[in-house]
Amino acid sequence: MGERIRGVLTHKPGGLELCLVTVLAAAVFFFHLPNIQHTPDESDWIATSQFYEAFIQGEFPPEAWHAVWGWQETYWTLTQPPAARYLIAIGRRAGGYAVRDLNTPWNWALDVQGNIEAGKMPTPRLLFWSRLPMVLLTAFGVGLLFALGGALSGRLGAYALAGLLLTSAYLRETTLRALGEAPLLFFVLVCAVLTAAGLQSWLRAAEAENASLRRAYLWFALAGIAAGLAAASKLNGLLAAGGAAAAALWAAFFWRGSISPARARTFALRIVPLVSLLAMGTLIALYPFLHSDPLTRLGRMYKFRLQEMQVQTEGFPQDTLTTPLEQIGAAAVHVLSSDAAFRFPGAALLNGALITLGAAGLLRGLFGRKAGESVAALAVRL
């Protein structure tokens, strides 16, 4: 009996369980959505969702407030790429909202009432439809994490992770708003799943003689596209491409198995440009602002983010973390206490212990394989 229970808990969950957890996550997030307060940044992202109409039509419609600038350099074209805005537009268009129905960007010089009177506050219904894609993407993200957890540690780990995610106030507050965080999280997770699939194909090839690597190349190519979608949501999503390429390189050099050194070197030399070019190509293709001079304008976007952070640092010195020690301390407070799953007195010690154990288990996968561990679990750990 004990062995039977152990088998149920350690085997990865099936497709039906994955679907049910995803549907449950969507229901939970919809239930909490009315409790998520509007933030001024949401007004900006909803206002600039008119970039979607400009993308599909080739130019900004005449009624768009940004039509006078088009795809030239402005604050709104430099501050972030537009994929999240496209998704917001898809949601509000499903609710019947056209460009003429949008609010304009928030004016920080006015108070809330002043912004409402100036037409800068989205109506509750517009806000709901603009947030709808984020609810769905976050629910799908929970499903992806459930699948990864199941591949790594079976049903017990998968359901424990799902429970923590569904009860996380931090996740709800961060990803259910009409902002870029939900698409960023979702596409990074898609990139992680595809990278794990690529690693699994590589590890299987390493166990056979003269096995084809075509599937590994395909999975990593798709991971590059997913990384490009993450970068098109928020620029830091481009780091996902680096993670996918680094995982492939590690496997090529340290998990070669029966694959010859020459084939491993060829794979390593091909995979980095493959993932990088597909990620960059996806980002550029989705953003007409970059079409005319992609490298220069990407550089301008990067510099603009640095300038904006400098302005924020100078404008809010009381909130600035000036030393690495302060930054590490603030991150530790958020991760171990204020935004953690367990927040009872003394929970920071428990959270720290769990993080340490989890990190140790993942790092072990870089150098060794546990007895009886499946190729899928090893790929996820890598």
Side-chain angles (χ1 to χ4, degrees):
M1 185 67 175
E3 285 297 317
R4 190 173 182 180
I5 294 174
R6 184 174 179 273
V8 170
L9 292 177
T10 55
H11 280 75
K12 67 179 182 180
L16 178 59
E17 293 170 273
L18 172 61
C19 292
L20 290 174
V21 166
T22 303
V23 171
L24 176 62
V28 169
F29 296 143
F30 272 117
F31 175 78
H32 285 284
L33 193 58
N35 301 322
I36 306 298
Q37 297 297 312
H38 166 268
T39 64
D41 284 345
E42 285 186 285
S43 289
D44 294 344
W45 286 74
I46 294 171
T48 52
S49 69
Q50 61 186 247
F51 282 23
Y52 176 75
E53 280 80 3
F55 176 68
I56 61 175
Q57 297 173 15
E59 60 182 5
F60 283 86
E63 64 270 27
W65 56 266
H66 200 271
V68 65
W69 299 290
W71 292 112
Q72 300 305 308
E73 287 191 16
T74 67
Y75 175 87
W76 303 110
T77 53
L78 289 170
T79 184
Q80 284 292 355
R85 296 165 180 164
Y86 295 167
L87 291 165
I88 290 169
I90 291 171
R92 49 100 172 152
R93 281 165 66 100
Y97 288 91
V99 170
R100 62 180 177 275
D101 304 315
L102 297 179
N103 56 279
T104 50
W106 194 263
N107 186 344
W108 292 90
L110 301 176
D111 59 14
V112 173
Q113 187 58 39
N115 275 283
I116 293 174
E117 293 172 357
K120 300 178 180 299
M121 173 75 81
T123 65
R125 190 171 179 274
L126 172 58
L127 185 62
F128 169 82
W129 283 101
S130 299
R131 287 175 168 180
L132 178 61
M134 309 310 163
V135 173
L136 297 177
L137 287 178
T138 305
F140 287 132
V142 170
L144 291 174
L145 284 167
F146 179 78
L148 289 171
L152 184 62
S153 55
R155 283 189 176 91
L156 182 61
Y159 280 104
L161 178 57
L164 293 175
L165 292 169
L166 294 181
T167 56
S168 171
Y170 176 76
L171 180 67
R172 296 194 299 270
E173 292 288 336
T174 304
T175 61
L176 299 189
R177 292 189 169 98
L179 299 170
E181 278 69 24
L184 173 66
L185 173 64
F186 174 73
F187 289 122
V188 167
L189 287 173
V190 171
C191 180
V193 169
L194 293 169
T195 299
L199 290 170
Q200 187 171 344
S201 295
W202 171 267
L203 292 169
R204 291 194 188 283
E207 293 177 344
E209 292 290 339
N210 299 317
S212 172
L213 295 176
R214 288 181 181 177
R215 286 189 177 182
Y217 280 113
L218 174 61
W219 288 123
F220 279 108
L222 293 174
I225 294 172
L229 290 169
S233 301
K234 295 193 81 171
L235 275 178
N236 51 357
L238 201 58
L239 293 173
L249 290 176
W250 188 270
F253 289 118
F254 297 101
W255 290 90
R256 240 184 348 99
S258 63
I259 297 173
S260 68
R263 286 188 78 195
R265 284 195 299 270
T266 300
F267 179 79
L269 290 172
R270 288 176 177 174
I271 213 70
V272 173
L274 176 69
V275 172
S276 303
L277 290 174
L278 284 172
M280 290 292 292
T282 302
L283 169 60
I284 293 167
L286 288 173
Y287 200 6
F289 170 68
L290 300 175
H291 290 180
S292 61
D293 192 356
L295 294 181
T296 300
R297 287 192 161 182
L298 271 173
R300 289 280 297 118
M301 290 182 71
Y302 174 72
K303 290 179 181 178
F304 186 80
R305 296 304 302 162
L306 296 179
Q307 293 167 2
E308 195 166 25
M309 287 189 287
Q310 183 64 34
V311 169
Q312 292 170 343
T313 299
E314 294 173 354
F316 304 94
Q318 71 279 6
D319 298 323
T320 301
L321 303 174
T322 56
T323 67
L325 190 60
E326 289 178 331
Q327 294 165 356
I328 293 171
V333 168
H334 283 285
V335 171
L336 300 177
S337 181
S338 62
D339 294 329
F342 303 117
R343 293 188 294 275
F344 53 82
L349 294 176
L350 172 62
N351 293 325
L354 290 173
I355 289 172
T356 301
L357 288 173
L362 291 174
L363 288 173
R364 183 181 174 184
L366 294 177
F367 304 102
R369 185 173 180 177
K370 295 189 294 186
E373 184 176 37
S374 69
V375 171
L378 178 59
V380 172
R381 285 206 291 139
L382 284 175

